Amino acid sequence: MRKIVFDIETSNIFDDVGKADPALLDIAIVGIYNSETDKYSTFTQEELKDLWPILEKADMLIGFNSDHFDIPLLNKYYPGDLRLINHLDLLSEIKKSLGKRVGLGRVAEGTLGVPKSGHGLEAIKWWKNGEIEKVRNYCLDDVRLTKEIYEYAMTNMKLKYKDGNDIIEFPIDPKGWEEKEEKVLTSSLGF
């Protein structure tokens, strides 16, 4: 199964665009892990044409808060509809189990014992200051955390999050996560 784990950093924030609609933001960097090549890559907004064929070949896209943020933002640039590709949002799965949302940093600290390497607002400052490599590295760090959390859930059928000084463990049901769905052709593939 070809899986793409992905994350996006933007070059602006909701305050800049007037409302909390991800499609109004602008992409700075998209980071991915491609299970087929076992490699991590990043793409700037100008390089998205190189990302589309990779996503279209995927059997599954895996993100964190990707239902409500990453997919709508990517669809702003994509000539088709990325919602047609099998997709797993780990935050949605966590909310199903816990009844609430828990951020990537808290889940990474609880489950993996490692914190996030920064904050999205820092990445926007770095981008505006021309510190592109810092943004690439931060984005790929979040991709790595998402991938490792996904793998932990698949193996252990549970996750953990940090709540103050406590580590809270909760069940997660990965049954069906890796079932292949029939692919729908999308519009950037050459025919």
Side-chain angles (χ1 to χ4, degrees), residues 30 44 65 97 157 189-190:
V30 179
T44 63
N65 195 28
S97 178
M157 298 181 63
L189 288 174

Side-chain angles (χ1 to χ4, degrees), residues 105-140:
R106 292 174 61 198
V107 176
E109 284 189 76
T111 303
L112 307 172
V114 294
K116 281 177 49 96
S117 62
H119 189 280
L121 294 177
E122 288 176 302
I124 292 167
K125 282 183 193 172
W126 297 331
W127 182 263
K128 289 180 178 179
N129 291 333
E131 298 176 272
I132 308 308
E133 285 309 305
K134 276 187 175 180
V135 180
R136 286 182 196 276
N137 292 333
Y138 169 73
C139 187
L140 288 180

Side-chain angles (χ1 to χ4, degrees), residues 85-156:
I85 299 172
N86 187 25
H87 169 241
L88 177 75
D89 181 346
L90 284 171
L91 183 56
S92 293
E93 296 298 315
I94 289 167
K95 187 175 181 205
K96 274 188 220 174
S97 178
L98 284 175
K100 65 180 180 178
R101 296 164 51 102
V102 179
L104 178 62
R106 292 174 61 198
V107 176
E109 284 189 76
T111 303
L112 307 172
V114 294
K116 281 177 49 96
S117 62
H119 189 280
L121 294 177
E122 288 176 302
I124 292 167
K125 282 183 193 172
W126 297 331
W127 182 263
K128 289 180 178 179
N129 291 333
E131 298 176 272
I132 308 308
E133 285 309 305
K134 276 187 175 180
V135 180
R136 286 182 196 276
N137 292 333
Y138 169 73
C139 187
L140 288 180
D141 284 344
D142 278 4
V143 171
R144 281 185 195 92
L145 293 175
T146 302
K147 174 186 175 286
E148 291 175 18
I149 290 167
Y150 171 83
E151 290 169 344
Y152 187 96
M154 288 295 295
T155 301
N156 299 287

Side-chain angles (χ1 to χ4, degrees), residues 5 12 14 22 32 38 49 55 68 70 72 87 98 103 105 114-115 120 128 132 134 189:
V5 182
N12 53 357
F14 291 127
I32 69 165
D38 193 31
K49 66 185 179 332
L55 297 184
H68 300 289
D70 303 80
H87 169 241
L98 284 175
V114 294
K128 289 180 178 179
I132 308 308
K134 276 187 175 180
L189 288 174

Side-chain angles (χ1 to χ4, degrees), residues 30-41:
V30 179
I32 69 165
Y33 167 78
N34 185 339
S35 70
E36 184 175 50
T37 61
D38 193 31
K39 292 195 184 321
Y40 291 85
S41 307

